[in-house]
Amino acid sequence: MANNGGQGSGQGFSQVALNERILNSMSRRSIAAHPWHDLEIGPGAPSIFNCVVEIAKGSKVKYELDKNSGLIKIDRVLYSSVVYPHNYGFIPRTLCEDSDPMDVLVLMQEPVISGCFLRARAIGLMPMIDQGEMDDKIIAVCADDPEFCHYKDIKELPPHRLAEIRRFFEDYKKNENKEVVVNDFLPAEAAVKAIKHSMDLYASYIVENLSR
């Protein structure tokens, strides 16, 4: 009886302690890191940089960053019968003319989970016009994937892989009656220049908002 009572008392104390921890965590106001603003772009930028993955290779779901909360949200399911050919995301601490961070398509062997980040190397730029507005994409490789890390420029990729990438972006909005035009791919030098420009825009944006 004494032993059973002791065990019961211990279990009750543990339950009370657990409840207190839950209540304390609920009452504390915590601020989660924002992947766009809080994640460093990386010391090797603009050539090698951190990339936050929004959409995994093979997905038909269009995930994207919710800029207010920093969470990854579902924007839509693609209307066309296509899937993302490679992992897709954005470069932290960059800003483009459309007020979004710089988009990047990362070539690597495996799909990865939405919301993670990885190191990528810019190898090219895909100039794109989406419904009449510039929406350029950086083409990159995962810097830590042994199958892809040796690529330094987009011209080194097999032509068919580039054709697949082009075709995906030309087709993925067709069933929404939206026009996308993909122009000729540009080399790594153009991609690095575009990233540097987006880094400068972001820095100017931060300075401007801090001065208000």
Side-chain angles (χ1 to χ4, degrees), residues 80-82 166-175 180:
S80 300
S81 56
V82 294
R166 175 191 291 274
R167 192 67 176 177
F168 169 77
F169 284 101
E170 287 175 339
D171 288 353
Y172 80 133
K173 289 188 177 181
K174 275 191 174 180
N175 284 351
V180 175

Side-chain angles (χ1 to χ4, degrees), residues 22-39:
I22 293 171
L23 290 172
N24 286 336
S25 67
M26 291 174 66
S27 63
R28 286 196 303 267
R29 181 176 177 81
S30 60
I31 301 175
H34 197 296
W36 185 11
H37 305 299
D38 295 332
L39 178 63

Side-chain angles (χ1 to χ4, degrees), residues 92-107:
R93 302 196 184 190
T94 61
L95 184 67
C96 296
E97 282 74 6
D98 61 0
S99 299
D100 289 336
M102 175 68 79
D103 295 325
V104 55
L105 187 74
V106 184
L107 281 63

Side-chain angles (χ1 to χ4, degrees), residues 35-37 39-41 50-52 90-94 101 199:
W36 185 11
H37 305 299
L39 178 63
E40 296 283 351
I41 192 172
N50 286 326
C51 165
V52 178
F90 66 88
I91 305 174
R93 302 196 184 190
T94 61
M199 292 168 65

Side-chain angles (χ1 to χ4, degrees), residues 153-164:
D153 195 273
I154 199 166
K155 65 184 179 184
E156 300 170 2
L157 294 176
H160 182 70
R161 189 175 295 275
L162 293 178
E164 286 182 329

Side-chain angles (χ1 to χ4, degrees), residues 53-152:
V53 176
E54 296 165 298
I55 307 168
K57 172 183 177 181
S59 176
K60 194 176 178 179
V61 180
K62 174 68 167 67
Y63 298 93
E64 66 177 36
L65 174 72
D66 178 67
K67 291 186 286 187
N68 289 328
S69 69
L71 297 174
I72 302 296
K73 67 177 182 180
I74 295 177
D75 178 61
R76 66 186 186 279
V77 176
L78 297 184
Y79 283 50
S80 300
S81 56
V82 294
V83 296
Y84 277 79
H86 296 282
N87 295 309
Y88 181 89
F90 66 88
I91 305 174
R93 302 196 184 190
T94 61
L95 184 67
C96 296
E97 282 74 6
D98 61 0
S99 299
D100 289 336
M102 175 68 79
D103 295 325
V104 55
L105 187 74
V106 184
L107 281 63
M108 59 187 300
Q109 296 181 67
E110 297 293 329
V112 297
I113 61 171
S114 180
C116 75
F117 74 93
L118 52 82
R119 288 195 319 135
R121 174 188 288 112
I123 64 168
L125 179 69
M126 185 179 71
M128 198 175 97
I129 307 296
D130 188 344
Q131 301 176 78
E133 296 184 357
M134 285 182 56
D135 192 16
D136 296 350
K137 315 292 185 189
I138 300 297
I139 306 299
V141 294
C142 178
D144 299 301
D145 186 324
E147 182 174 329
F148 286 90
C149 63
H150 66 280
Y151 289 110
K152 300 296 191 296

